[in-house]
Amino acid sequence: MSEAVSALNGQSFVGIVKIEEAGPQGMITLRGDAGAAALQKAARDVAGVDMPGIRGIAAAGDRAIAWMSPDEWLILLPHAQAHEGVATLRTALAGTHHLAENVSDARALFRVTGEPARLREVLAKLAPADLHPDRFGTGEMRRTRLAQVPAAIWLDSAGEARVICFRSVASYVFDLLSVAAAPGSEVGFFDA
Amino acid sequence: MLILECPCCGVLADETELAPGGEAHLKRFGPGASDDEFEGYLFMRENPRGVHFERWRHVNGCGKWFHAARDTSTLEVFGTYPAQTTEPPRDIRDRISARRPGWTWREFA
């Protein structure tokens, strides 16, 4: 197989937080009936974790499942294993109404790291979502918009956030995040 | 600014995260309908100052359609409810009655 190249080739920016394009990331979209036992088992077998509840994201090692909508999940796994993951899902779900597709190369993933309050601030400048620590914490997947494009954000830890967007708007999102993280642009809204 | 709670994912979604879908609970008239019925289905819309029922789509979130009951002049939101219904649920209507006694909207009251 040809060598996978991510949207921005690992471009990074350091301001009040650090923005990095995270490189190739395997992603599988899985859709189906949330109540189907076969679907839950197949997802667990591929991702190594149980399917999370509403708006959740459950991770184990380099794999995770994120809740995207009542009938859609995003499975994160190493890029090289995405094809195999889709094949496994399709075999396991033969006869069950479902959709499994490798979307790794249709998306871009960013890692935003830094001081927890600064990190929330950078995201909050761009998204109409309530990112107060009482309302948004680790283990939650928030699909929203960043300025003009849809995106999904979650916190890996207090000091590390991940942002997924469509690959076609990767440079736009990178520029947005970089401007929001420009040195001297601290707001201090989330400072305790 | 309108903030609606998406009944599918529970997010308090800002208006800019949503896409408007027009009037709710339209009854579709297709082949075999009279000209008047078809005209009503295509063109006749409520335009109230006050209680209104609308469809919205959580386009930048979970992507699902839902219904919302709100006041068009005060932007007060009476509630949101799933798209899989052909009329406003009783609890939403009761809540509107408590706030706007005597309200009517199409055949509902």
Side-chain angles (χ1 to χ4, degrees):
Chain A
M1 214 178 108
S2 53
E3 192 195 340
V5 176
S6 65
L8 302 179
N9 237 333
Q11 199 175 345
S12 68
F13 172 86
V14 180
I16 59 177
V17 295
K18 184 176 185 196
I19 321 285
E20 293 164 278
E21 200 250 3
Q25 165 73 50
M27 301 182 212
I28 299 172
T29 285
L30 177 65
R31 301 196 75 149
D33 178 359
L39 189 86
Q40 294 175 4
K41 184 180 180 305
R44 186 168 55 237
D45 288 348
V46 169
V49 274
D50 282 331
M51 284 199 327
I54 184 165
R55 294 206 312 279
I57 176 164
D62 56 4
R63 293 175 184 235
I65 309 185
W67 187 97
M68 300 298 272
S69 95
D71 55 5
E72 179 181 346
W73 297 266
L74 185 69
I75 298 176
L76 300 167
L77 72 177
H79 190 274
Q81 288 163 37
H83 262 298
E84 189 192 318
V86 170
T88 310
L89 284 170
R90 285 182 181 163
T91 310
L93 292 171
T96 306
H97 180 65
H98 78 287
L99 178 147
E101 200 55 72
N102 180 358
V103 296
S104 312
D105 301 324
R107 311 276 166 88
L109 175 69
F110 294 92
R111 198 184 295 124
V112 184
T113 47
E115 204 185 312
R118 291 286 92 76
L119 191 148
R120 282 178 190 274
E121 210 173 280
V122 167
L123 294 171
K125 284 179 191 173
L126 303 168
D130 189 350
L131 299 181
H132 190 273
D134 292 346
R135 301 299 297 272
F136 181 73
T138 52
E140 179 173 350
M141 183 74 161
R142 181 67 158 87
R143 293 180 69 182
T144 182
R145 99 191 137 76
L146 292 183
Q148 316 234 9
V149 296
I153 55 184
W154 77 96
L155 294 172
D156 245 11
S157 66
E160 177 168 353
R162 305 285 181 115
V163 176
I164 287 182
C165 68
F166 289 115
R167 185 184 179 116
S168 55
V169 293
S171 66
Y172 173 73
V173 169
F174 180 81
D175 291 347
L176 279 180
L177 289 166
S178 303
V179 169
S185 72
E186 297 91 342
V187 179
F189 186 72
F190 295 114
D191 293 1
Chain B
M1 185 65 79
L2 197 57
I3 294 178
L4 301 174
E5 182 175 352
C6 171
C8 300
C9 66
V11 156
L12 279 174
D14 181 287
E15 190 177 341
T16 59
E17 207 173 288
L18 304 164
E23 188 172 322
H25 309 304
L26 294 178
K27 183 163 184 270
R28 186 175 187 279
F29 288 95
S34 72
D35 285 354
D36 283 349
E37 285 171 334
F38 194 60
E39 185 203 16
Y41 160 62
L42 268 188
F43 302 115
M44 299 308 179
R45 295 293 182 269
E46 298 296 312
N47 185 22
R49 189 176 70 176
V51 176
H52 196 31
F53 296 86
E54 291 171 321
R55 300 165 76 233
W56 287 86
R57 183 172 175 241
H58 195 187
V59 67
N60 284 330
C62 68
K64 299 296 180 193
W65 284 95
F66 62 93
H67 283 133
R70 68 178 182 106
D71 188 306
T72 56
S73 58
T74 64
L75 293 193
E76 176 177 357
V77 177
F78 302 112
T80 54
Y81 51 101
Q84 291 74 20
T85 172
T86 53
E87 57 178 64
R90 177 45 56 191
D91 62 318
I92 298 277
R93 280 146 81 170
D94 288 346
R95 215 173 302 152
I96 299 172
S97 296
R99 301 281 301 160
R100 302 279 188 281
W103 68 279
T104 59
W105 186 84
R106 291 211 317 238
E107 70 269 36
F108 306 113

